[in-house]
Amino acid sequence: MSLADSDRELVVEELEREPTPAEAALFENLWSEHCAYRSSRPLLSAFESEGEQVVVGPGDDAAVVALPGDDDGETYITMGIESHNHPSYVDPFDGAATGVGGIVRDTLSMGAYPIALADSLYFGAFDREHSRYLLEGVVEGISHYGNCIGVPTVAGSVDFHSDYEGNPLVNVACIGLTDEERLVTAEAQEPGNKLVLVGNATGRDGLGGASFASEDLAEDAETEDRPAVQVGDPYAEKLLIEANEVLIEEGLIESARDLGAAGLGGASSELVAKGGLGAHIELERVHQREPNMSALEILLAESQERMCYEVEPEHVDRVEEIAERFDLGCSVIGEVTDGNYVCTFDGSEAQSASDDPDGEQSEPRKRETVVDVDAHFLGEGAPMNDLAHEEPSEPETDLPEVDLEAAFDVVVSSPNTASKRWVYRQYDHEVGVRTSVGPGDDAAIVAIREAETGLALSAGAAPNWTDAAPYEGARAIALENATNVAAKGATPLAAVDCLNGGNPEKPDVYGGFRGIVDGLADMCETLSAPVVGGNVSLYNDSATGPIPPTPTLALVGTKDGYDAPPLSVESEGELLLVGDRGLEADGTRLGGSEYLAQFGGSDAFPSLPETPSEIVETLAAVANDEATLAVHDVSHGGLAVSLAEMVSEDAGLEVSIPADSEPAAALFHEQPGRALVQTDSPAAVREAFDGVAPVVALGEATDRGTLELSVGDRTLERSAGAIRSLRDTLEAELE
Amino acid sequence: MTVAIIRFGGSNCDRDAERALEHLEVDAEIVWHEDGLPEDTTGVVLPGGFSYGDYLRAGAMAARSPILEEVREAAADGVPVLGVCNGAQIGCESGLTEGAFTTNESARFQCEHVYLRVERDDTRWTAAYEEGEVIEVPIAHGEGRYEVDDDRLEELEADDRILFRYCDADGKLTEEANPNGSKNNVAGVLGERETVAVLMPHPERATLPDIGPTDGQGILRGFDGASGA
C-alpha cells in the first residue's frame, strides 16, 4: 500500500511541492484507516462522551474519569481499549502480547499506574485446529506479558464464531489510577521544551504496522506480513512503568505520548499537534538497535516499549538519571517549537559505520530536512470517507425441533457458554492485591482504597447477537455489561468501546457497522454511561469473509465497599428471576441465541426492556441488600446456563419455569437486563422492582447439589458434578 | 528497625508485600537492589515477580546480584528472610534454600487458590498455625514445581525442613491437590536456619481482609518482633 493518489494530491496542494519519501510514508500511515478513522469518525459523533465525572474524554491516549465517593473528587481512573487483531492472526503470541503493552503505555501517558486489564478475544469455531492454535498463542501471549509487568487481568470474554476463522480479534482494555496532581495529557505545552525518548532502542521492527492494520488480511498473511508484527519485551515495559512512576511523582513531565502505530513519527507529531505547536527533531539522536537505519525507518519503526516525553530543559538531566537507574535508553531528540513539524537527519554517523574497511572516511553528509509539514494537517487533514451502506434485513422465524435435555447439555457445554477457567487461570488476576472479585463472575471488583470505592469492570460483546441484529444486538451488549456490574452491586460510571468491523467498502458490512455504533451509543446514553474513549478496527475481512460486527464494550461501575454477593447459591433461600420480558408476556424470541447457533434456524432478536437504567439501578440496590444471598446475570446461553452456573456440590436448586411459556424459548432466549436473585426476603425484591421489571418466583435452593428443573410438563435433573464436566469443554479439549 | 523488601527490575509483588506488612503493623520498606541493604535491616522479603524478566532462568540473575551476598550474610546472622514466588526461586538459586523451582507440570502459568498443609508449627513463619492445619493461599506462577534429589529430599524431610505441602481441603496430600507437580507436594521449605524460608504461594495475597480470605497472615507474622513493632 502506498499513499493514495487523491491523498497525494491533497498533500501536494497543502505543501505546494511533492512530499519527501519520509513525508509520504508518514501521511500514508497517519492517514490510514487505523490512525485516522476515515470511515468511522463520521459515525462516532453518535456517542455521548460527556458527563460531570469525565475529566478527559476521547482523543487522548486514554480517557480520565473522576471517581465518586471521594469528597475531594481528586482520585481519577484512566480507561483505554485497543485492538491488536491483524498482528494476532499473523503471530498470535507476539501480536497479543504487544497489544497489552500498547494499552498499558497509553495508561502511563496520562500519569497513571496501570491496575487492571480486561481482554475480549474472538476466534473461529472452537472445533477448528487453527482456532485452537490462535487461542493458545493469544492467551499465552497475554499471560506472558501481563503477568510479567504485574498488572492483573481481572475480566474479559472469549467467544467463538465461524466468521472469525480468518480474522480473530484481540481487544485489550486497561484501567489506570491517577489523581488531579499527577494527571498529564498528550498535549504539548510550551515551545522550547525538550522532547525526550525513553525506553527500548529503535530497530526495524513493525515497519508500516498502521497501514497493515488497514487492509484485509491476505491468505498468505501469516508468512507475508510477519515483519509488520512487533515483538514485545515485558521486562522493558515493567521498567518503563516504574520509571514513568518516578517521573510522574517527581513532576518532571509536561506531556507524554506512547509510541504505537506509526512509531516516533505518529507519537511526536500527534503530541505537538494537540498543543497547536510544532517540533524540530533530529532523527539520528534516537538511540538505535541496528546499524544504518534510514531517517524513514527511525521515524516509522514500531519498536515496542518506548515513550515520548515533553520535558522542561532544566529537568532533562534528572530524566536521564532516572532512565539510567532503570536501565532504559534515553535520548533527547529535539524540542517543541511553534512552527511546523520538522524532522532532520544527519546520516554521516550511520554512514561511517558502513564505510569501506580501508578506513577512508567519505565526506560527511550534510544535515537534510526529511519532514517539514504542519502537524495539525498531518494529524487531522485526512479526508473522511462517505461510504454506501445497506440496512441489515430482519430474520425470519424458523425454529428447530430439539429434545430439551439434549438442548440443555449442548448449550451448557458450548465453548461460548462453557467455563473460561482454562483461559483466566493463565492470567495473574490477583497481583496488586486489589482484586476482590476476579474473573469467572459477572463482573470483577477492584478495590480503589484511595477513594474507598469498589470499581466493577465488565468487558465483552456477543457476536451471535450483533450478527443477528447489529443495532439491537449492540444495545443488548451495553445493557448486558451494565447488568453484569449491577449484579455485583455497582452502577455504571463510564465505558470505552472497541468497534470491530469488516471491510467498510462493502455496503452490507458498513450497514452492520453503522448499526453497532448507533446501538451501542443509544444504550450507553440511556444508561448514563458516557463512552469516554475507544478504538475502531475495520478491514477485519479475509478470504473467509467479514467478521460479525463486534462492539466490545469495557464498562466500569462503582459501589461502596469491595464486597459483592456471590454467583453461587447458598443451600437455603428463594430464587427469583427479575427482568424477564418473555415469561409473563407472550413468549420471547430466540434470535441471536447460542441455542440457534448450535441447532440452526433463525428468529427475531428479543425486544429489550423499556426502562433499562431503572432495572440496572434497582438490581444494584438489591445486590447490596443484606437479605440478598446470591446474584447472577442471565444472558449468554439463557436461563438454562445461568441456573447451571449457580449450582455447586453444597447447594442445588429446585426450580419450575411457569407453565405457559414455550420451554425452549423460556430456557434459551438471551434477552439481557435479567438476573437471578437468591434472597431471604422475596417481598423486598418484589417491592424494589415494582413498576420497574417483572419478578417471577422460580423455586428454592436445596442442599442436594443438583439442578432440578421443570418447565411445562418436562423435567430435567443434573448434578453439580455433571454440570461441571459439561462446562469443562475448553480444559477437556486443550489439556 | 525495618524489614527490607528487595526490589529488582521486574519485581512486581514488592508493593503488595509492603501493603500486607503495613496492615500487620510490621514496619517495612522497599529497597532498590542497587542501593544495598539498609544498616538497620531486621528482616528481608524477596518478593514475587519476574526479576530480570526471568531471562536465563527464573531467579538466576537476581541470585547473582551483589545484594544477595548481603542477604546471605544477614541470614547467617539470624535475620529472618522470606522468599515468595520469584523470591523463592531466587532463594534456591542463591543457595539460601535447597532444591529448585522449575516449570510447572502443565507447562502453563497457573493463578488459583490452593490448600497448604502446615508441616511444622514451631517456626516463626508458622507459629500462628497448628501442625497439620490446612490453609488457603493463592499461587500465581509458571515455574513452581519443586525439584530436588531424592536423597536430599529424604534428608530435608528427616531434618524437618519442609514447611508447607500442597493438599486437598481435608489435608490429604493427593496428586490432584498438587497444582504444579512438585516433588512430594512440597510448596515451601526452610533454609539451614529456620529463620530462612521460601514458598511459591503468596501469603501477601491472603492477608488483607477487605478483599478476601486472610490465611496468609500467619506467615507474614514471622516478621513480628523482627521490625521492632
Side-chain angles (χ1 to χ4, degrees):
Chain A
M1 205 159 110
S2 62
L3 193 59
D5 288 345
S6 56
D7 288 349
R8 177 176 285 270
E9 280 167 30
L10 275 176
V11 170
V12 169
E13 195 180 316
E14 167 77 16
L15 300 182
E16 297 177 345
R17 59 175 167 79
E18 283 294 318
T20 66
E23 285 169 344
L26 259 188
F27 278 105
E28 180 204 328
N29 274 277
L30 292 179
W31 285 17
S32 67
E33 188 62 49
H34 183 72
C35 290
Y37 292 1
R38 298 170 69 156
S39 304
S40 59
R41 197 181 291 182
L43 307 179
L44 299 181
S45 58
F47 286 108
E48 176 59 72
S49 58
E50 288 177 10
E52 58 175 9
Q53 69 273 47
V54 182
V55 180
V56 177
D60 218 306
D61 269 357
V64 181
V65 180
L67 290 177
D70 186 10
D71 286 343
D72 308 328
E74 62 177 17
T75 305
Y76 299 157
I77 57 161
T78 63
M79 302 177 70
I81 191 165
E82 206 164 79
S83 61
H84 239 217
N85 302 339
H86 285 184
S88 300
Y89 176 79
V90 175
D91 177 351
F93 180 89
D94 290 305
T98 51
V100 175
I103 197 65
V104 165
R105 285 192 302 283
D106 282 341
T107 307
L108 304 186
S109 299
M110 311 307 291
Y113 195 87
I115 58 165
L117 290 164
D119 305 291
S120 291
L121 314 176
Y122 308 85
F123 301 98
F126 182 66
D127 57 12
R128 297 292 299 264
E129 197 60 41
H130 190 241
S131 304
R132 293 182 185 191
Y133 154 78
L134 291 173
L135 169 69
E136 296 208 40
V138 163
V139 170
E140 207 184 329
I142 292 169
S143 158
H144 170 68
Y145 204 100
N147 297 351
C148 198
I149 60 174
V151 183
T153 301
V154 299
S157 57
V158 182
D159 289 275
F160 302 93
H161 187 289
S162 55
D163 290 344
Y164 296 115
E165 191 72 53
N167 200 129
L169 305 181
V170 174
N171 295 174
V172 189
C174 183
I175 307 293
L177 191 63
T178 186
D179 58 37
E180 210 171 344
E181 284 270 291
R182 295 169 46 115
L183 179 66
V184 293
T185 67
E187 192 175 309
Q189 301 292 312
E190 190 69 36
N193 283 344
K194 298 296 179 188
L195 291 173
V196 183
L197 188 63
V198 175
N200 267 345
T202 300
R204 289 189 173 85
D205 25 14
L207 280 166
S211 50
F212 158 60
S214 305
E215 298 170 49
D216 290 356
L217 274 171
E219 269 183 272
D220 56 358
E222 280 172 276
T223 46
E224 285 294 303
D225 288 324
R226 209 172 272 270
V229 179
Q230 317 86 335
V231 175
D233 174 3
Y235 177 58
E237 180 95 346
K238 175 63 175 164
L239 294 173
L240 201 51
I241 292 172
E242 297 305 330
N244 188 73
E245 190 64 11
V246 178
L247 294 172
I248 296 296
E249 281 292 322
E250 293 190 13
L252 302 171
I253 302 305
E254 305 309 309
S255 69
R257 188 139 193 144
D258 92 292
L259 274 67
L264 174 64
S268 58
S269 68
E270 285 160 2
L271 184 84
V272 294
K274 269 186 79 77
L277 297 165
H280 182 199
I281 293 171
E282 297 182 343
L283 290 170
E284 75 282 358
R285 292 186 179 211
V286 170
H287 50 290
Q288 297 159 43
R289 204 177 59 223
E290 295 178 53
N292 304 324
M293 287 185 69
S294 70
L296 193 148
E297 288 168 335
I298 296 169
L299 195 59
L300 285 178
E302 294 188 0
S303 303
Q304 297 291 293
E305 293 92 21
R306 299 180 299 163
M307 298 283 294
C308 182
Y309 295 113
E310 179 193 1
V311 178
E312 287 180 359
E314 63 266 35
H315 290 148
V316 167
D317 288 350
R318 179 63 186 148
V319 171
E320 287 178 325
E321 220 173 277
I322 291 166
E324 199 189 329
R325 186 175 175 82
F326 287 95
D327 284 332
L328 291 167
C330 177
S331 36
V332 181
I333 57 171
E335 62 182 36
V336 179
T337 68
D338 49 14
N340 266 358
Y341 175 72
V342 177
C343 298
T344 61
F345 184 57
D346 180 350
S348 55
E349 220 170 299
Q351 197 70 24
S352 63
S354 66
D355 274 340
D356 63 317
D358 300 343
E360 276 193 39
Q361 294 282 323
S362 56
E363 199 60 28
R365 282 199 293 174
K366 277 174 65 181
R367 174 170 296 284
E368 53 178 331
T369 299
V370 293
V371 177
D372 185 352
V373 296
D374 176 59
H376 185 261
F377 177 68
L378 180 60
E380 301 290 327
M384 295 296 123
N385 295 336
D386 184 14
L387 299 172
H389 68 279
E390 259 169 40
E391 293 295 331
S393 53
E394 276 284 312
E396 312 254 315
T397 298
D398 171 21
L399 298 177
E401 292 278 334
V402 189
D403 172 70
L404 206 63
E405 292 213 25
F408 179 91
D409 289 353
V410 167
V411 172
V412 171
S413 64
S414 145
N416 279 332
T417 54
S419 168
K420 301 302 184 301
R421 181 174 171 271
W422 181 87
V423 175
Y424 62 73
R425 192 173 74 148
Q426 297 185 55
Y427 303 151
D428 190 340
H429 41 83
E430 296 192 316
V431 62
V433 290
R434 292 178 183 274
T435 311
S436 163
V437 177
D441 209 317
D442 291 339
I445 295 183
V446 177
I448 311 291
R449 300 185 181 93
E450 293 78 355
E452 294 178 7
T453 297
L455 190 75
L457 172 61
S458 168
N464 288 337
W465 298 359
T466 41
D467 195 30
Y471 176 79
E472 286 298 321
R475 286 181 72 221
I477 285 165
L479 177 55
E480 149 68 358
N481 280 295
T483 310
N484 277 336
V485 304
K488 301 296 120 177
T491 49
L493 177 73
V496 287
D497 63 4
C498 192
L499 303 164
N500 307 271
N503 182 343
E505 294 155 43
K506 299 176 182 169
D508 57 332
V509 169
Y510 196 54
F513 185 75
R514 286 170 62 111
I516 61 166
V517 172
D518 289 342
L520 206 62
D522 286 355
M523 184 56 85
C524 285
E525 189 172 359
T526 303
L527 295 170
S528 305
V531 180
V532 291
N535 173 266
V536 179
S537 171
L538 293 171
Y539 295 94
N540 292 295
D541 231 306
S542 68
T544 64
I547 60 158
T550 310
T552 301
L553 192 70
L555 182 139
V556 297
T558 52
K559 65 176 297 178
D560 291 337
Y562 320 131
D563 276 348
L567 182 151
S568 302
V569 288
E570 289 183 15
S571 58
E572 253 180 79
E574 190 166 338
L575 188 73
L576 304 174
L577 171 62
V578 302
D580 196 309
R581 293 165 59 79
L583 294 189
E584 287 196 332
D586 54 350
T588 186
R589 315 302 292 267
L590 279 160
S593 65
E594 188 60 32
Y595 175 82
L596 291 190
Q598 291 293 332
F599 296 106
S602 61
D603 198 2
F605 195 73
S607 59
L608 302 189
E610 276 147 25
T611 56
S613 66
E614 283 81 354
I615 291 176
V616 167
E617 265 169 48
T618 309
L619 181 61
V622 165
N624 289 326
D625 192 282
E626 275 187 15
T628 299
L629 304 171
V631 182
H632 188 17
D633 150 88
V634 180
S635 57
H636 306 286
L639 194 53
V641 167
S642 295
L643 288 167
E645 287 171 342
M646 292 180 90
V647 170
S648 69
E649 257 79 9
D650 304 324
L653 282 168
E654 186 173 0
V655 293
S656 152
I657 316 293
D660 52 347
S661 30
E662 204 281 307
L667 276 184
F668 299 111
H669 84 82
E670 299 190 7
Q671 174 232 312
R674 292 182 294 163
L676 289 160
V677 178
Q678 187 195 20
T679 176
D680 277 338
S681 178
V685 176
R686 286 182 188 281
E687 193 183 333
F689 277 98
D690 185 33
V692 174
V695 177
V696 180
L698 290 189
E700 295 281 343
T702 71
D703 58 7
R704 291 191 290 278
T706 53
L707 174 62
E708 297 154 72
L709 176 68
S710 67
V711 47
D713 57 356
R714 304 295 309 271
T715 59
L716 181 153
E717 190 174 324
R718 290 286 180 278
S719 69
I723 289 169
R724 191 162 4 83
S725 34
L726 284 171
R727 299 194 68 239
D728 207 20
T729 311
L730 267 59
E731 208 153 325
E733 293 288 330
L734 294 169
E735 288 302 319
Chain B
M1 300 289 281
T2 189
V3 172
I5 302 163
I6 300 175
R7 172 187 286 173
F8 297 95
S11 297
N12 66 26
C13 301
D14 44 343
R15 287 189 182 83
D16 299 0
E18 187 184 34
R19 195 187 286 273
L21 287 171
E22 186 190 353
H23 176 77
L24 300 176
E25 295 179 344
V26 174
D27 190 22
E29 66 171 306
I30 295 172
V31 173
W32 179 242
H33 73 102
E34 284 179 357
D35 296 343
L37 278 189
E39 291 252 317
D40 62 349
T41 297
T42 50
V44 174
V45 176
L46 298 169
F50 291 76
S51 55
Y52 298 94
D54 273 0
Y55 296 133
L56 188 60
R57 245 185 353 260
M61 305 270 285
R64 283 152 187 82
S65 68
I67 199 170
L68 252 294
E69 193 48 49
E70 295 180 56
V71 173
R72 270 192 293 265
E73 282 167 23
D77 292 343
V79 171
V81 176
L82 180 68
V84 173
C85 199
N86 189 230
Q89 296 161 342
I90 296 170
C92 285
E93 282 281 346
S94 67
L96 279 167
T97 46
E98 293 191 50
F101 293 99
T102 183
T103 309
N104 293 352
E105 205 168 51
S106 67
R108 296 187 201 279
F109 190 94
Q110 289 168 239
C111 176
E112 57 199 328
H113 284 234
V114 297
Y115 294 108
L116 302 179
R117 193 175 79 185
V118 179
E119 298 295 286
R120 288 181 61 171
D121 61 8
D122 58 347
T123 75
R124 59 167 51 233
W125 313 109
T126 51
Y129 311 111
E130 303 286 328
E131 189 177 317
E133 188 177 336
V134 176
I135 60 174
E136 185 189 335
V137 182
I139 56 166
H141 59 244
E143 302 183 28
R145 179 168 56 87
Y146 188 67
E147 217 18 273
V148 68
D149 283 351
D150 288 341
D151 296 350
R152 206 50 214 126
L153 183 57
E154 255 177 55
E155 286 171 39
L156 289 174
E157 288 178 332
D159 293 347
D160 230 358
R161 281 169 60 183
I162 309 302
L163 197 53
F164 299 105
R165 292 183 205 263
Y166 299 109
C167 65
D168 66 13
D170 302 321
K172 287 198 213 57
L173 306 179
T174 65
E175 205 176 316
E176 295 76 48
N178 184 352
N180 51 26
S182 287
K183 204 171 248 186
N184 288 10
N185 288 43
V186 171
V189 294
L190 291 167
E192 232 163 89
R193 301 182 67 134
E194 288 170 20
T195 42
V196 174
V198 302
L199 73 162
M200 287 311 294
H202 287 271
E204 80 282 7
R205 296 186 184 186
T207 291
L208 302 172
D210 60 359
I211 52 165
T214 56
D215 284 1
Q217 284 190 359
I219 298 168
L220 298 183
R221 292 232 182 261
F223 287 112
D224 273 352
S227 67

